[in-house]
Amino acid sequence: MMSDIIKHATAESFDADVLQSDKPVLVDYWAPWCGPCKMIAPILDEVAKEFAGKVQVVKVDVEQHPDVAARFGIRGIPTLMIFDKGQSVATKVGAVNKTDLNKFIESNT
């Protein structure tokens, strides 16, 4: 089940969803076949709810939108990237647990 708090960005909507957001954005670059991506999906749902109103969570399927991944140099997935005021401010590659994800968000937003 997809969370309605999490946006799914496309190549066309990425700039509006992420770069022009009025609040910090956590972008999850993922793919349907990626095991670690599936592992962190429920954590991202929880974090999206906890940080609602403060941080927007956006997912980008790198298979459907490889140009977005290429634009930001994404080589491995999952990659989590925090954008603030249109700039990438932090990147974390690989699956993370909830505690580490919360720390990553809190220290970069």
Side-chain angles (χ1 to χ4, degrees), residues 4-24:
D4 55 351
I5 296 177
I6 295 179
K7 284 187 182 176
H8 289 262
T10 63
E12 296 74 35
S13 74
F14 188 87
D15 287 16
D17 289 342
V18 177
L19 303 183
Q20 292 154 19
S21 173
D22 55 358
K23 52 183 167 269

Side-chain angles (χ1 to χ4, degrees), residues 11 14 18 20 26 31 33 35 38 44 49 54 72-73 79 81 93 99:
F14 188 87
V18 177
Q20 292 154 19
L26 174 69
W33 46 261
K38 289 184 187 138
L44 286 165
K49 289 184 186 90
K54 294 191 278 295
F72 294 100
T79 292
M81 207 176 255
V93 180
T99 305

